[in-house]
Coordinates of all heavy atoms in Angstrom, one line a residue:
M1213 N 6.2 126.2 34.3 CA 7.5 126.6 34.3 C 7.7 127.9 35.2 O 6.9 128.8 35.1 CB 8.1 127.0 32.9 CG 9.6 126.8 32.8 SD 10.1 127.1 31.1 CE 10.3 128.8 31.0
E1214 N 8.6 127.9 36.1 CA 8.8 129.1 37.0 C 9.3 130.3 36.2 O 10.1 130.1 35.3 CB 9.8 128.7 38.1 CG 9.1 128.3 39.4 CD 10.1 128.1 40.5 OE1 10.9 128.9 40.7 OE2 10.0 127.0 41.1
R1215 N 8.8 131.4 36.6 CA 9.3 132.6 36.0 C 10.7 133.0 36.5 O 11.0 132.7 37.7 CB 8.3 133.8 36.2 CG 7.0 133.5 35.5 CD 6.5 134.8 35.0 NE 5.6 135.5 36.0 CZ 5.0 136.7 35.8 NH1 5.2 137.3 34.7 NH2 4.3 137.2 36.7
E1216 N 11.4 133.6 35.6 CA 12.8 133.9 36.0 C 12.9 135.3 36.6 O 12.1 136.2 36.2 CB 13.7 133.8 34.8 CG 13.9 132.3 34.4 CD 14.7 132.2 33.2 OE1 15.4 133.1 32.7 OE2 14.7 131.1 32.6
I1217 N 13.9 135.6 37.4 CA 14.2 136.9 37.8 C 14.4 137.8 36.6 O 15.2 137.5 35.7 CB 15.5 136.9 38.7 CG1 15.3 135.9 39.9 CG2 15.8 138.3 39.2 CD1 14.5 136.3 41.0
P1218 N 13.7 138.9 36.5 CA 13.9 139.8 35.4 C 15.2 140.4 35.3 O 15.9 140.6 36.3 CB 12.8 140.9 35.6 CG 12.5 140.9 37.0 CD 12.7 139.5 37.5
V1219 N 15.6 140.7 34.0 CA 16.9 141.5 33.8 C 16.6 142.9 33.5 O 15.9 143.2 32.4 CB 17.7 140.8 32.7 CG1 19.0 141.6 32.4 CG2 18.0 139.3 33.0
L1220 N 16.9 143.8 34.3 CA 16.6 145.2 34.1 C 17.4 145.8 33.0 O 16.9 146.7 32.3 CB 16.7 146.0 35.4 CG 15.6 145.7 36.5 CD1 16.0 146.3 37.8 CD2 14.3 146.2 36.0
Y1221 N 18.6 145.5 32.9 CA 19.4 145.9 31.8 C 20.6 145.0 31.7 O 21.1 144.4 32.6 CB 19.9 147.4 32.1 CG 20.8 147.5 33.3 CD1 22.2 147.4 33.1 CD2 20.3 147.6 34.5 CE1 23.0 147.6 34.2 CE2 21.1 147.7 35.7 CZ 22.5 147.7 35.5 OH 23.3 147.8 36.6
K1222 N 21.1 144.9 30.4 CA 22.2 144.1 30.2 C 23.5 145.0 30.1 O 24.5 144.6 30.5 CB 22.1 143.3 28.9 CG 21.0 142.2 29.0 CD 21.1 141.2 27.8 CE 19.9 140.3 27.7 NZ 18.8 140.9 27.1
R1223 N 23.3 146.1 29.4 CA 24.4 147.1 29.3 C 23.9 148.4 30.0 O 22.7 148.6 30.1 CB 24.7 147.4 27.8 CG 25.2 146.1 27.2 CD 25.4 146.4 25.7 NE 24.2 146.7 25.0 CZ 24.0 147.8 24.3 NH1 25.0 148.7 24.1 NH2 22.8 148.1 23.7
K1224 N 24.8 149.1 30.5 CA 24.4 150.4 31.2 C 23.6 151.3 30.3 O 22.9 152.1 30.8 CB 25.6 151.0 31.8 CG 26.1 150.2 33.0 CD 27.3 150.9 33.7 CE 27.6 150.1 35.0 NZ 28.9 150.6 35.6
E1225 N 23.9 151.3 29.0 CA 23.2 152.2 28.1 C 21.7 151.9 28.1 O 20.8 152.7 27.7 CB 23.7 151.9 26.6 CG 25.1 152.4 26.4 CD 26.1 151.2 26.6 OE1 26.0 150.6 27.7 OE2 26.9 150.9 25.7
E1226 N 21.3 150.7 28.6 CA 19.9 150.3 28.6 C 19.2 150.8 29.9 O 18.0 150.4 30.1 CB 19.7 148.8 28.5 CG 20.2 148.3 27.2 CD 20.3 146.8 27.1 OE1 19.9 146.1 28.2 OE2 20.7 146.2 26.1
C1227 N 19.9 151.5 30.7 CA 19.3 152.1 32.0 C 19.7 153.5 32.1 O 20.8 153.8 32.1 CB 19.7 151.2 33.2 SG 19.2 151.9 34.8
C1228 N 18.7 154.4 32.4 CA 19.0 155.8 32.6 C 19.0 156.1 34.1 O 19.1 157.3 34.4 CB 18.0 156.6 31.8 SG 16.3 156.5 32.3
G1229 N 18.8 155.1 34.9 CA 18.8 155.4 36.3 C 17.6 156.2 36.9 O 17.7 156.9 37.8
C1230 N 16.5 156.0 36.2 CA 15.3 156.9 36.5 C 14.7 156.4 37.9 O 13.9 157.2 38.4 CB 14.3 156.8 35.4 SG 13.5 155.2 35.4
T1231 N 15.0 155.3 38.4 CA 14.5 154.7 39.6 C 13.0 154.3 39.6 O 12.4 154.0 40.6 CB 14.7 155.6 40.9 OG1 13.8 156.7 40.8 CG2 16.2 156.1 40.9
A1232 N 12.4 154.3 38.4 CA 11.0 153.9 38.4 C 10.8 152.4 38.8 O 9.9 152.1 39.5 CB 10.5 154.1 36.9
C1233 N 11.7 151.6 38.4 CA 11.6 150.2 38.8 C 11.8 150.0 40.3 O 11.0 149.3 41.0 CB 12.7 149.3 38.1 SG 14.4 150.0 38.3
Y1234 N 12.7 150.8 40.8 CA 13.0 150.8 42.3 C 11.7 151.2 43.0 O 11.3 150.6 44.0 CB 14.1 151.7 42.5 CG 14.3 152.2 44.0 CD1 15.0 151.3 44.9 CD2 13.9 153.4 44.4 CE1 15.2 151.8 46.2 CE2 14.1 153.9 45.7 CZ 14.7 153.0 46.6 OH 14.9 153.5 47.9
A1235 N 11.1 152.3 42.5 CA 9.9 152.8 43.2 C 8.7 151.9 43.1 O 7.9 151.9 44.1 CB 9.6 154.2 42.6
I1236 N 8.5 151.1 42.0 CA 7.3 150.4 41.8 C 7.4 149.0 42.5 O 6.4 148.4 42.8 CB 7.0 150.2 40.4 CG1 5.4 150.0 40.2 CG2 7.7 149.1 39.7 CD1 4.9 150.2 38.8
C1237 N 8.6 148.5 42.8 CA 8.7 147.1 43.2 C 7.9 146.9 44.6 O 8.2 147.6 45.5 CB 10.1 146.7 43.4 SG 10.3 145.0 44.1
P1238 N 6.9 146.0 44.6 CA 6.1 145.8 45.8 C 6.8 145.1 46.9 O 6.4 145.1 48.0 CB 4.9 145.0 45.2 CG 5.4 144.3 44.1 CD 6.5 145.2 43.4
K1239 N 7.9 144.5 46.5 CA 8.7 143.7 47.5 C 9.9 144.4 48.0 O 10.7 143.8 48.7 CB 9.1 142.4 46.9 CG 7.9 141.5 46.6 CD 7.3 141.0 47.9 CE 5.9 140.3 47.7 NZ 5.2 140.0 49.0
E1240 N 10.1 145.6 47.5 CA 11.4 146.3 47.8 C 12.6 145.5 47.6 O 13.5 145.4 48.4 CB 11.3 146.8 49.3 CG 10.2 147.8 49.5 CD 10.2 148.4 50.9 OE1 11.0 148.0 51.8 OE2 9.3 149.3 51.2
A1241 N 12.5 144.8 46.4 CA 13.6 143.9 46.1 C 14.7 144.6 45.3 O 15.7 144.0 45.0 CB 13.1 142.7 45.3
I1242 N 14.4 145.8 44.9 CA 15.4 146.6 44.1 C 16.1 147.6 44.9 O 15.4 148.4 45.6 CB 14.7 147.2 42.9 CG1 14.1 146.2 42.0 CG2 15.7 148.1 42.0 CD1 13.3 146.7 40.8
S1243 N 17.4 147.7 44.8 CA 18.1 148.8 45.4 C 18.9 149.5 44.3 O 19.3 148.9 43.3 CB 19.0 148.3 46.5 OG 19.5 147.0 46.3
M1244 N 19.1 150.8 44.5 CA 19.9 151.5 43.6 C 21.3 151.5 44.1 O 21.6 152.0 45.2 CB 19.4 153.0 43.5 CG 17.9 153.1 43.0 SD 17.6 152.3 41.3 CE 18.6 153.5 40.3
V1245 N 22.2 151.1 43.2 CA 23.6 150.9 43.7 C 24.5 151.8 42.8 O 24.4 151.8 41.6 CB 24.1 149.5 43.5 CG1 25.5 149.3 44.0 CG2 23.2 148.6 44.4
E1246 N 25.3 152.6 43.4 CA 26.2 153.5 42.7 C 27.4 152.8 42.0 O 28.0 151.9 42.7 CB 26.8 154.5 43.7 CG 26.6 156.0 43.3 CD 27.2 156.9 44.4 OE1 28.4 156.9 44.6 OE2 26.4 157.6 45.1
D1247 N 27.6 153.1 40.8 CA 28.8 152.5 40.2 C 30.1 153.4 40.4 O 30.0 154.4 41.2 CB 28.6 152.3 38.7 CG 28.6 153.6 37.9 OD1 28.7 154.7 38.5 OD2 28.4 153.5 36.7
E1248 N 31.2 153.0 39.8 CA 32.4 153.7 40.1 C 32.4 155.2 39.7 O 33.2 156.0 40.1 CB 33.6 153.0 39.5 CG 33.6 152.8 38.0 CD 32.7 151.6 37.5 OE1 32.1 150.9 38.4 OE2 32.5 151.5 36.3
E1249 N 31.4 155.5 38.8 CA 31.3 156.9 38.3 C 30.3 157.7 39.0 O 30.0 158.8 38.7 CB 31.0 156.9 36.8 CG 32.2 156.5 36.0 CD 31.9 156.2 34.5 OE1 30.7 156.2 34.2 OE2 32.8 156.0 33.7
G1250 N 29.6 157.1 40.0 CA 28.7 157.8 40.8 C 27.2 157.8 40.2 O 26.3 158.4 40.8
F1251 N 27.0 157.0 39.2 CA 25.7 156.8 38.7 C 25.0 155.6 39.3 O 25.7 154.6 39.6 CB 25.7 156.6 37.1 CG 26.1 157.8 36.4 CD1 27.4 157.8 35.8 CD2 25.3 158.9 36.2 CE1 27.8 158.9 35.1 CE2 25.8 160.0 35.5 CZ 27.0 160.0 35.0
E1252 N 23.7 155.8 39.6 CA 23.0 154.7 40.3 C 22.3 153.8 39.3 O 21.6 154.2 38.4 CB 22.0 155.3 41.3 CG 22.7 156.0 42.4 CD 21.8 156.3 43.6 OE1 20.6 156.6 43.3 OE2 22.3 156.2 44.7
Y1253 N 22.5 152.5 39.6 CA 21.8 151.5 38.7 C 21.1 150.5 39.7 O 21.5 150.2 40.8 CB 22.8 150.7 37.9 CG 23.4 151.5 36.8 CD1 24.6 152.2 37.0 CD2 22.8 151.7 35.6 CE1 25.2 153.0 36.0 CE2 23.3 152.4 34.6 CZ 24.5 153.1 34.8 OH 25.1 153.9 33.8
P1254 N 19.9 150.0 39.2 CA 19.1 149.1 40.0 C 19.7 147.7 40.1 O 20.2 147.2 39.1 CB 17.8 149.1 39.3 CG 18.1 149.4 37.9 CD 19.2 150.3 37.9
Q1255 N 19.6 147.1 41.3 CA 20.1 145.8 41.4 C 18.9 145.0 42.1 O 18.4 145.5 43.1 CB 21.3 145.8 42.3 CG 22.3 144.7 42.0 CD 23.6 145.0 42.7 OE1 23.7 144.9 43.9 NE2 24.6 145.3 41.9
I1256 N 18.6 143.8 41.6 CA 17.5 143.0 42.2 C 18.1 142.1 43.2 O 19.0 141.3 42.9 CB 16.8 142.3 41.1 CG1 16.1 143.3 40.1 CG2 15.7 141.3 41.6 CD1 15.4 142.6 38.9
N1257 N 17.4 142.0 44.4 CA 17.7 141.0 45.4 C 16.9 139.8 45.0 O 15.7 139.8 45.2 CB 17.4 141.6 46.7 CG 17.7 140.6 47.8 OD1 17.7 139.3 47.6 ND2 17.9 141.0 49.0
E1258 N 17.6 138.8 44.6 CA 16.9 137.6 44.1 C 16.1 136.8 45.2 O 15.2 136.1 44.9 CB 17.8 136.7 43.4 CG 18.5 137.4 42.2 CD 19.4 136.4 41.3 OE1 19.4 135.2 41.7 OE2 19.9 136.9 40.3
N1259 N 16.5 137.1 46.4 CA 15.8 136.4 47.5 C 14.5 137.1 47.8 O 13.5 136.5 48.4 CB 16.7 136.4 48.7 CG 17.9 135.6 48.5 OD1 17.9 134.6 47.9 ND2 19.1 136.2 49.0
K1260 N 14.3 138.4 47.4 CA 13.1 139.1 47.7 C 12.1 139.1 46.5 O 10.9 139.3 46.6 CB 13.4 140.5 48.1 CG 14.0 140.7 49.5 CD 14.1 142.2 49.8 CE 14.7 142.5 51.1 NZ 14.9 143.9 51.3
C1261 N 12.7 139.0 45.3 CA 11.9 139.2 44.1 C 10.9 138.1 43.9 O 11.2 136.9 44.1 CB 12.9 139.2 42.9 SG 12.0 139.3 41.3
V1262 N 9.7 138.5 43.5 CA 8.6 137.5 43.3 C 8.3 137.4 41.8 O 7.2 136.8 41.4 CB 7.3 137.8 44.1 CG1 7.6 137.6 45.6 CG2 6.8 139.2 43.8
C1263 N 9.1 137.9 41.0 CA 8.9 137.8 39.5 C 7.6 138.3 39.0 O 7.0 137.7 38.2 CB 9.2 136.4 39.0 SG 10.8 135.8 39.4
C1264 N 7.2 139.4 39.5 CA 5.9 140.0 39.1 C 6.1 140.9 37.8 O 5.1 141.2 37.1 CB 5.3 140.9 40.2 SG 6.2 142.4 40.5
Y1265 N 7.3 141.2 37.5 CA 7.7 141.9 36.3 C 7.2 143.4 36.2 O 7.2 143.9 35.2 CB 7.3 141.1 35.0 CG 8.1 139.9 34.8 CD1 8.8 139.3 35.8 CD2 8.2 139.3 33.5 CE1 9.5 138.1 35.6 CE2 8.9 138.2 33.3 CZ 9.6 137.6 34.3 OH 10.4 136.4 34.1
Q1266 N 6.7 143.9 37.3 CA 6.3 145.3 37.3 C 7.4 146.2 37.0 O 7.2 147.3 36.4 CB 5.6 145.6 38.7 CG 4.3 145.0 38.9 CD 3.6 145.6 40.1 OE1 3.5 146.8 40.2 NE2 3.1 144.8 41.0
C1267 N 8.6 145.9 37.5 CA 9.8 146.7 37.2 C 10.0 146.8 35.7 O 10.4 147.8 35.2 CB 11.0 146.2 38.0 SG 11.3 144.5 37.7
I1268 N 9.8 145.7 35.0 CA 10.1 145.7 33.6 C 9.0 146.5 32.9 O 9.3 147.2 31.9 CB 10.0 144.2 33.0 CG1 11.2 143.4 33.7 CG2 10.2 144.2 31.5 CD1 12.6 143.8 33.3
K1269 N 7.8 146.4 33.3 CA 6.7 147.1 32.7 C 6.8 148.6 32.8 O 6.5 149.4 31.9 CB 5.3 146.6 33.3 CG 4.9 145.3 32.7 CD 3.4 145.0 33.2 CE 3.2 143.5 33.2 NZ 2.5 143.1 34.4
V1270 N 7.3 149.0 34.0 CA 7.4 150.5 34.2 C 8.6 151.1 33.6 O 8.6 152.3 33.4 CB 7.4 150.7 35.8 CG1 8.8 150.5 36.4 CG2 6.9 152.1 36.1
C1271 N 9.6 150.3 33.2 CA 10.8 150.9 32.7 C 10.6 151.7 31.4 O 10.2 151.1 30.4 CB 11.9 149.8 32.5 SG 13.4 150.4 31.8
P1272 N 10.9 152.9 31.3 CA 10.6 153.7 30.1 C 11.5 153.3 28.9 O 11.1 153.4 27.8 CB 11.0 155.2 30.5 CG 11.9 155.0 31.7 CD 11.5 153.7 32.4
I1273 N 12.7 152.8 29.2 CA 13.6 152.4 28.1 C 13.1 151.1 27.5 O 13.1 151.0 26.3 CB 15.0 152.3 28.7 CG1 15.5 153.7 29.1 CG2 16.0 151.6 27.7 CD1 16.9 153.7 29.5
K1274 N 12.6 150.2 28.3 CA 12.1 148.9 27.7 C 10.8 149.2 27.0 O 10.6 148.7 25.9 CB 11.9 147.9 28.8 CG 13.2 147.2 29.1 CD 13.1 146.6 30.5 CE 14.5 146.5 31.2 NZ 15.1 147.8 31.3
A1275 N 10.0 150.1 27.5 CA 8.7 150.4 26.8 C 9.0 151.0 25.4 O 8.4 150.7 24.4 CB 7.9 151.4 27.7
A1276 N 10.0 151.9 25.4 CA 10.3 152.5 24.1 C 10.8 151.5 23.1 O 10.6 151.6 21.9 CB 11.4 153.6 24.3
R1277 N 11.5 150.5 23.6 CA 12.2 149.5 22.7 C 11.1 148.6 22.1 O 11.3 148.1 21.0 CB 13.2 148.7 23.5 CG 14.4 148.4 22.6 CD 15.3 147.4 23.3 NE 15.8 147.8 24.5 CZ 16.0 147.1 25.6 NH1 15.7 145.8 25.5 NH2 16.4 147.6 26.7
E1278 N 10.0 148.4 22.8 CA 9.0 147.4 22.3 C 8.1 148.0 21.3 O 7.4 147.3 20.7 CB 8.2 146.9 23.5 CG 8.9 145.7 24.2 CD 8.3 145.4 25.6 OE1 7.2 145.9 25.8 OE2 9.0 144.8 26.4
Q1279 N 8.1 149.3 21.1 CA 7.2 149.9 20.2 C 7.6 149.7 18.7 O 8.7 149.4 18.4 CB 7.0 151.4 20.4 CG 6.0 151.6 21.5 CD 6.2 153.1 22.1 OE1 6.8 153.9 21.5 NE2 5.6 153.3 23.2
Ligands
SF4_2175 S1 9.8 141.4 39.3 FE1 8.5 142.4 40.9 S2 9.4 141.7 42.8 FE2 11.0 141.3 41.3 S3 12.2 143.1 41.3 FE3 10.7 143.4 39.7 S4 9.0 144.5 40.7 FE4 10.3 143.7 42.3
SF4_2176 S1 13.1 151.7 35.3 FE1 14.5 151.1 33.6 S2 15.7 152.9 33.2 FE2 14.7 153.3 35.1 S3 16.2 152.7 36.7 FE3 14.9 150.9 36.3 S4 16.0 149.8 34.7 FE4 16.9 151.8 34.7

């Protein structure tokens, strides 16, 4: 079964905008996009993503939730 494009956050509360995912992506598939309030959130370019899930592993919020 093919791996799916990861979901970095479902609600904005699940992302603090730390840019760790953006920094680690080996494919530069993530861009930080400003919302209407000026906060930056990561957005995955599905055409570039190779589903390595490194962005999910590095995310401090997801790591905290799994403990
Ligand atoms: S799964 Fe890998 S390639 Fe896709 S956005 Fe995350 S780090 Fe980048
Ligand atoms: S690593 Fe997690 S908290 Fe940091 S910008 Fe990416 S999704 Fe948001």
